[in-house]
Amino acid sequence: NAGFYISRAESLVEAMEQLHEATMEKSSIPSDKRAKVRPTSIIYNILISSYRNAEDKAEAWSKGEVVLSRMKKYCEPDKHTVSTLLTLLISAPDGSSDGLGARATHFLRQMVGSSDGQINIDSTVYNNILKAFAMEGRLVKADEFFALMPSKDVRSYSILISGWGKAGHGDRAIELFEEMVAEGIKPDLTVVTQ
């Protein structure tokens, strides 16, 4: 019963926020005696992660956005926050004309731009966006995004190789495989089976 546990997690985080606010308002309480219940990025990340189990993926993404805005009041989002929210975004039904890949790229730019360099984006986050483009069949956009990625790993290549191969463009898939090997990235079973 994922809904019950998600609801319970939401209630606990809200209680922490309220207790923190109530304690901070009572300035007569010495600071060493104030409740130290300010939610941290870990707490918010756990709550956002719980939305991955929700049945309604569009609602999960919406709730994730709401939690992100509340989170910014108490602490800074980190790369785990960004990665988890991108996972929610990519699994949500896409109602926009731009597509998931474009929405994910926009979201990433927003997050990185507002973090003053505090969010260190790793290949997992970039791979999630790359996967969104590939899932939509927007392989030219995927290639463009891939070219801009600061670091690529075997997963990055695997996503693109699979996308181009499934679209019937074996020549491009082979080019990517050869490029990966030339870059010194050792193929693994996922690349070979694509």
Side-chain angles (χ1 to χ4, degrees):
N1 188 351
F4 170 79
Y5 292 107
I6 290 171
S7 176
R8 186 73 178 126
E10 289 170 335
S11 297
L12 290 171
V13 172
E14 286 173 19
M16 288 179 77
E17 290 170 343
Q18 290 169 359
L19 187 55
H20 176 72
E21 292 296 323
T23 302
M24 295 309 293
E25 289 172 6
K26 297 180 181 178
S27 59
S28 62
I29 300 173
S31 62
D32 62 331
K33 302 268 189 219
R34 292 181 186 166
K36 297 189 174 35
V37 293
R38 187 175 102 189
T40 64
S41 61
I42 294 170
I43 297 296
Y44 285 107
N45 289 342
I46 290 169
L47 177 57
I48 293 168
S49 291
S50 74
Y51 295 139
R52 290 187 296 194
N53 299 317
E55 288 181 30
D56 185 341
K57 299 304 181 187
E59 182 182 8
W61 164 245
S62 295
K63 285 184 171 189
E65 282 186 302
V66 169
V67 170
L68 175 64
S69 65
R70 285 180 19 217
M71 176 184 192
K72 290 178 180 179
K73 183 176 178 182
Y74 299 99
C75 59
E76 291 296 319
D78 58 21
K79 69 180 181 180
H80 302 291
T81 313
V82 174
S83 183
T84 306
L85 283 165
L86 279 171
T87 302
L88 291 176
L89 174 62
I90 290 166
S91 63
D94 182 31
S96 75
S97 60
D98 293 338
L100 288 174
R103 285 176 51 206
T105 303
H106 176 74
F107 172 75
L108 180 62
R109 283 189 183 130
Q110 245 182 339
M111 292 301 297
V112 172
S114 67
S115 75
D116 297 326
Q118 298 295 314
I119 297 177
N120 181 16
I121 303 300
D122 61 13
S123 62
T124 303
V125 174
Y126 288 107
N127 288 340
N128 281 339
I129 295 174
L130 192 61
K131 183 179 177 183
F133 281 123
M135 285 172 34
E136 294 175 326
R138 299 176 76 184
L139 297 169
V140 172
K141 285 285 186 192
D143 267 353
E144 291 170 4
F145 184 79
F146 183 76
L148 298 174
M149 289 172 57
S151 65
K152 301 163 182 82
D153 58 17
V154 69
R155 180 79 180 124
S156 312
Y157 279 98
S158 178
I159 291 166
L160 270 184
I161 290 168
S162 174
W164 283 108
K166 288 177 181 174
H169 296 278
D171 53 337
R172 179 64 181 134
I174 291 169
E175 283 176 22
L176 286 163
F177 183 83
E178 290 171 350
E179 178 184 319
M180 178 181 65
V181 172
E183 291 289 324
I185 299 173
K186 188 176 179 179
D188 66 7
L189 191 56
T190 59
V191 175
V192 176
T193 58
Q194 301 297 326

